[in-house]
Amino acid sequence: MIRARLNPAPAPEIAVKPVVGVLLPLPLAGAYDYKLPPGVNAPRGTLVAAPLGNREMLGVVWGACEGTVGDNRLKTAEPLDGGPRLPAKLCDFIDWVADYTLNPPGAILAMALRSRGAFEPETKRIAYVRGSVTPPRMSEARSRALEIAGDGLARSVTGLAEDANVSAAVVRGLITAGALVPTELPEFSPFAAPDPAHDTPQMLGDQVAAVQTLRGAVAAQKFSAHLLDGVTGSGKTEVYFEAVAEALRGGRQVLILLPEIALTAQFLERFTARFGVRPAEWHSDLSQKDRRRTYRAVMNGEARVVVGARSSLFLPFSELGLVIVDEEHEQAFKQQEGAIYHARDMAVVRARIEDCPIILASATPSLESFVNATSGRYTHLRLTSRHGVAEMPTVQLIDLRHERDAPDVEHKGQWLSPPLRAALERVLGAGEQAMLFLNRRGYAPLTLCEACGHKFTCPHCSAWLVEHKYKKRLACHQCGFALPMPTDCPQCHEKGTLIPCGPGVERVAEEFAAFFPAARYAIASSDMTAHAGPGEMQGALRLFARGEVDVLIGTQIVAKGHHFPHLTLVGVVDADLGGSDGDLRARERTFQLLHQVSGRAGRAEKPGLVLLQTRNPDDAVMQALLKGDRDGFYEQERGFRETYAAPPFGRLAALVISGYDGEAVREIARQLGKAAPSALDVKVWGPTPAFYALLRGQTRERLLVQAAKGVDVQSYLKAWLALVKVPNAVRVAVDVDPVSFF
Ligand code: ADP
Ligand code: ZN
């Protein structure tokens, strides 16, 4: 239940509107009309308790009445106790995101109201101090308690009982007698203010100019966008921390978006070292209580800096003065479930609405941001060298076509080529650290029956089951379906005929251990997070950071952001894995990932070496990595996109039609395909089965809209979708600016 009471007298400058549109955090078409209690003033953003059916819901006054219900049938929405209100700019942002992504505004509001408890009145803690009354009846226990209470500290009943070594009943007796009097304590606040001057590093080289630009932008308190484009280890974090410091000095709040929670642990330590206190955190792992506290602290301005995942974009900042998106190229910023949106793009929008600067940081920017920066829409701040004595690592290609024929590779099913093994031996001999990277979880991506050719696939998805040897299971990476590892083939019933095909990280680790039995290694893979809690993976990274293991074997989780000073060798087991499978962004992504993982090597005094195992050494991505010619690669990629009018030179939007009834899904996809309005500069492709034609039991079809840059894609989509009636059992999801095509 939401407790409500009448607001104090209305503010005179805002007209009293007896009927208002209230937006509910539900995927409804728009706001619903409600009456306000007589004489109550509730501007946009005011939180209300609104009856809906026989429930009471949390809602937000959104605007003038929409005329959806006759006046006599209107129900009354009561503003919440204390009159909490979402900032008007957050409401504007929610409307903007809803319009752009073609989601109902209530579905976006739901993301901004994730902590309902935050609006309930704060619970005050009651404690007791010595009063002026002396109780008529004194005992040894009573006088001891009063003596302790005489020091003036406020204590709880149990606190005083403990300190005085008396029973709680004694303390309660003294309260009844009036010898102890209650006092209210403020709620304990865990959000100490970060100190911009706590530990200020000296900026060096091209850091100086970057910091100067950013400080100026923050001080101007106006919208501006900046691409902080610096090689890995060049001090991007240190540079944007100076912008954070400037915002703090100016009394503004700061939002720092990180692509994954897994990255936050190291980040929080660095932040604390720079600013003296931890920032507030916001992500899906927070407890209800922390969530409530943080939300409230952001809203009342107590939390000055928030570090969070994409959902923190919807927090009710009241004085936002700077937004930072670190590793801005990461696909993890795209939310694919529910309301589909790109947190990086929406962060730019939020900054524009808040009229504050935004910094996008990356060593491998998205092509979109690169184009924006080189065309002058964003300032382009480049950091071209690594901090201190660290040099960029040397990159070499290992041509697997050649290595396969080498005499010392005994049999297939080996993934570490002789040159890579030799390099590992050197590094381990020198007491340094190495990382082996393979972007594939588990032991083997496919299990096959040698006798009949049966392949194990997921019953709910169009995907192979992946062997996880330690867990002795075959698992679907799409839906989580799993089987205990079978011993016989379910099709031909032969025994001992099942063979693992291809490597995952566990298999690489097994091979590594066979070659280097004395070396200490750990596996870091994101399935460790999914099934064993974040502790296990964080554990592997921490062991490696502390030098307690020599080799870290991992999936893309090891590629990002980490700083390991003793890491001198990075081995990429299969550099071709990203492929160029027709996906518009496959090449860009492969380049970014391999560049990032390469950037882990040689970040301190000792030089780094990166070995890329590939079967396509002449491929443009491999050549760009080999030559360290990032900008050349980007220019080439920009050329391709321009030629094909692909983003950012044209626009894309996808419709994903899904449901459990395959025939119904295909029928709606067909109808949509036929109904697509013809429009100038708009092409519609499909329908075709999606890459995962079956996912979690649902059939999936896709349609793709390709439009020229100036086309209003949203209006086109709205007009189109209005032409086909979609039954409840089929879902049509709109993905504006898709980044993946699964
Ligand atoms: P990036 O974010 O570009 O990968 P980091 O900010 O992590 O780079 O910097 C790499 C390392 O260099 C970190 O240990 C960082 O503390 C250090 N560093 C960078 N710039 C400075 C500086 N001006 N003074 C002191 N240390 C710095
Ligand atoms: Zn599955």
Side-chain angles (χ1 to χ4, degrees):
M1 273 305 283
I2 304 162
R3 277 184 291 144
R5 70 165 163 75
L6 298 187
N7 256 358
E13 71 271 22
I14 308 166
V16 177
K17 297 193 194 84
V19 180
V20 289
V22 170
L23 192 63
L24 300 170
L26 298 170
L28 305 166
Y32 281 11
D33 288 350
Y34 284 90
K35 273 191 293 209
L36 290 172
V40 166
N41 170 51
R44 179 163 160 95
T46 304
L47 286 138
V48 293
L52 182 75
N54 47 16
R55 284 189 296 166
E56 189 173 70
M57 294 221 38
L58 186 62
V60 179
V61 173
W62 213 245
C65 110
E66 311 239 317
T68 47
V69 182
D71 213 33
N72 52 343
R73 289 178 49 220
L74 284 180
K75 296 197 175 140
T76 303
E78 300 263 6
L80 298 197
D81 221 1
R85 199 194 292 170
L86 294 184
K89 286 177 175 169
L90 175 58
C91 300
D92 295 349
F93 178 59
I94 290 168
D95 276 337
W96 204 99
V97 175
D99 271 354
Y100 189 81
T101 62
L102 262 76
N103 274 288
I108 308 297
L109 177 66
M111 299 197 286
L113 290 184
R114 282 282 166 76
S115 179
R116 164 180 178 140
F119 306 113
E120 277 159 20
E122 291 188 42
T123 43
K124 295 269 189 330
R125 291 192 301 142
I126 302 294
Y128 296 88
V129 292
R130 179 79 172 92
S132 51
V133 177
T134 306
R137 209 169 39 77
M138 282 297 271
S139 64
E140 202 193 315
R142 285 190 159 194
S143 52
R144 205 160 57 234
L146 288 181
E147 193 186 322
I148 297 281
D151 67 3
L153 278 182
R155 291 178 178 83
S156 66
V157 172
T158 48
L160 179 55
E162 257 168 43
D163 288 0
N165 194 22
V166 300
S167 70
V170 169
V171 176
R172 283 198 207 95
L174 288 168
I175 293 169
T176 315
L180 293 172
V181 293
T183 174
E184 267 182 14
L185 291 184
E187 191 181 29
F188 166 71
S189 166
F191 300 101
D195 173 7
H198 178 75
D199 182 12
T200 322
Q202 181 80 40
M203 292 294 111
L204 299 162
D206 39 18
Q207 294 177 345
V208 177
V211 165
Q212 203 174 12
T213 303
L214 294 176
R215 278 204 193 121
V218 172
Q221 306 202 350
K222 285 251 161 304
F223 171 74
S224 57
H226 310 268
L227 178 64
L228 182 55
D229 176 0
V231 298
T232 49
S234 58
K236 292 185 291 298
T237 316
E238 302 291 346
V239 165
Y240 73 63
F241 275 173
E242 293 316 298
V244 172
E246 184 68 25
L248 291 171
R249 280 191 291 265
R252 312 297 299 273
Q253 289 172 297
V254 179
L255 169 62
I256 304 175
L257 289 167
L258 299 182
E260 318 213 11
I261 313 174
L263 287 177
T264 50
Q266 249 196 358
F267 183 85
L268 295 178
E269 279 165 34
R270 278 187 75 174
F271 186 94
T272 310
R274 172 65 183 81
F275 294 102
V277 298
R278 283 166 74 93
E281 285 174 67
W282 186 264
H283 49 70
S284 55
D285 274 4
L286 286 188
S287 68
Q288 271 304 94
K289 192 169 145 202
D290 285 340
R291 192 166 272 270
R292 192 173 63 231
R293 271 191 181 163
T294 306
Y295 193 96
R296 200 196 293 263
V298 171
M299 188 147 78
N300 67 24
E302 222 179 296
R304 305 311 297 169
V305 179
V306 177
V307 174
R310 55 187 184 231
S311 57
S312 54
L313 204 49
F314 296 95
L315 283 171
F317 291 95
S318 50
E319 312 168 291
L320 194 57
L322 175 64
V323 180
I324 295 164
V325 183
D326 203 351
E327 308 288 355
E328 68 92 28
H329 61 282
E330 281 291 338
Q331 267 207 86
F333 283 121
K334 179 91 182 194
Q335 171 154 305
Q336 304 280 13
E337 311 273 308
I340 300 176
Y341 70 94
H342 201 307
R344 184 233 305 140
D345 298 348
M346 294 306 111
V348 175
V349 172
R350 177 120 199 217
R352 216 169 55 210
I353 289 175
E354 301 280 346
D355 209 11
C356 75
I358 180 165
I359 303 171
L360 308 176
S362 176
T364 52
S366 60
L367 195 77
E368 279 81 352
S369 297
F370 182 80
V371 168
N372 279 330
T374 46
S375 71
R377 280 188 62 184
Y378 296 175
T379 69
H380 198 179
L381 306 172
R382 303 199 77 145
L383 305 177
T384 50
S385 60
R386 284 192 157 178
H387 172 69
V389 294
E391 296 283 336
M392 293 308 286
T394 306
V395 178
Q396 289 171 8
L397 303 180
I398 298 177
D399 185 347
L400 287 179
R401 296 170 310 180
H402 171 72
E403 289 303 327
R404 200 183 35 211
D405 306 330
D408 55 342
V409 176
E410 301 98 79
H411 56 84
K412 285 206 297 191
Q414 273 189 3
W415 323 104
L416 304 176
S417 66
L420 180 51
R421 293 198 312 256
L424 282 166
E425 204 162 326
R426 261 196 322 276
V427 163
L428 292 172
E432 295 163 11
Q433 289 181 307
M435 184 187 267
L436 290 174
F437 171 76
L438 177 67
N439 202 10
R440 231 192 232 146
R441 296 181 279 146
Y443 184 80
L446 167 66
T447 301
L448 183 78
C449 171
E450 232 174 353
C452 73
H454 175 72
K455 291 174 182 164
F456 285 79
T457 54
C458 177
H460 313 295
C461 306
S462 33
W464 290 336
L465 293 177
V466 177
E467 178 177 355
H468 285 255
K469 202 165 191 177
Y470 295 132
K471 295 184 191 127
K472 302 191 175 60
R473 297 198 302 177
L474 288 178
C476 171
H477 284 176
Q478 301 310 316
C479 72
F481 170 84
L483 294 173
M485 190 63 206
T487 49
D488 330 331
C489 176
Q491 188 165 287
C492 69
H493 307 290
E494 288 285 330
K495 289 193 192 317
T497 56
L498 302 181
I499 49 167
C501 299
V505 272
E506 291 180 7
R507 197 167 192 183
V508 170
E510 184 181 87
E511 187 186 347
F512 171 80
F515 281 122
F516 300 96
R520 302 166 303 170
Y521 71 92
I523 301 178
S525 160
S526 63
D527 56 312
M528 309 282 184
T529 13
H531 302 287
E536 195 170 319
M537 187 197 53
Q538 293 288 350
L541 296 175
R542 204 162 305 137
L543 286 176
F544 192 64
R546 285 203 299 252
E548 288 168 31
V549 297
D550 308 310
V551 177
L552 189 63
I553 301 169
T555 57
Q556 58 174 353
I557 210 80
V558 302
K560 297 168 190 168
H562 308 287
H563 182 67
F564 303 114
H566 303 290
L567 172 60
T568 56
L569 172 67
V570 168
V572 175
V573 176
D574 185 352
D576 307 325
L577 204 54
S580 42
D581 47 14
D583 177 334
L584 158 74
R585 289 186 172 80
R587 289 152 47 83
E588 178 189 340
R589 258 194 323 259
T590 304
F591 180 83
Q592 285 164 338
L593 185 59
L594 295 181
H595 186 93
Q596 291 281 332
V597 72
S598 304
R600 300 308 113 205
R603 286 171 64 103
E605 292 82 26
K606 296 173 203 137
L609 174 65
V610 179
L611 296 177
L612 304 175
Q613 300 196 134
T614 175
R615 279 176 195 81
N616 302 298
D618 301 326
D619 180 76
V621 173
M622 296 307 141
Q623 287 298 316
L625 290 164
L626 177 66
K627 298 185 187 127
D629 185 16
R630 190 203 76 172
D631 285 3
F633 175 75
Y634 275 64
E635 287 304 341
Q636 191 190 38
E637 223 21 56
R638 179 215 295 261
F640 286 142
R641 302 265 185 106
E642 216 159 358
T643 307
Y644 296 104
F649 303 100
R651 302 201 58 192
L652 291 179
L655 297 184
V656 181
I657 304 103
S658 61
Y660 291 102
D661 178 348
E663 208 27 66
V665 168
R666 281 184 288 270
E667 176 55 30
I668 291 301
R670 264 194 302 272
Q671 285 181 25
L672 279 165
K674 273 201 215 115
S678 52
L680 197 65
D681 293 333
V682 178
K683 270 185 278 187
V684 174
W685 308 92
T688 52
F691 181 80
Y692 291 110
L694 190 67
L695 189 64
R696 293 180 209 102
Q698 303 205 24
T699 298
R700 301 167 76 247
E701 294 266 320
R702 295 179 63 97
L703 286 145
L704 187 67
V705 180
Q706 186 181 16
K709 203 169 158 72
V711 170
D712 178 354
V713 173
Q714 280 78 7
S715 296
Y716 179 85
L717 290 169
K718 267 186 226 164
W720 182 11
L721 291 169
L723 299 174
V724 173
K725 173 136 181 46
V726 179
N728 282 339
V730 175
R731 184 173 131 83
V732 178
V734 181
D735 183 354
V736 178
D737 309 328
V739 295
S740 63
F741 301 84
F742 71 97

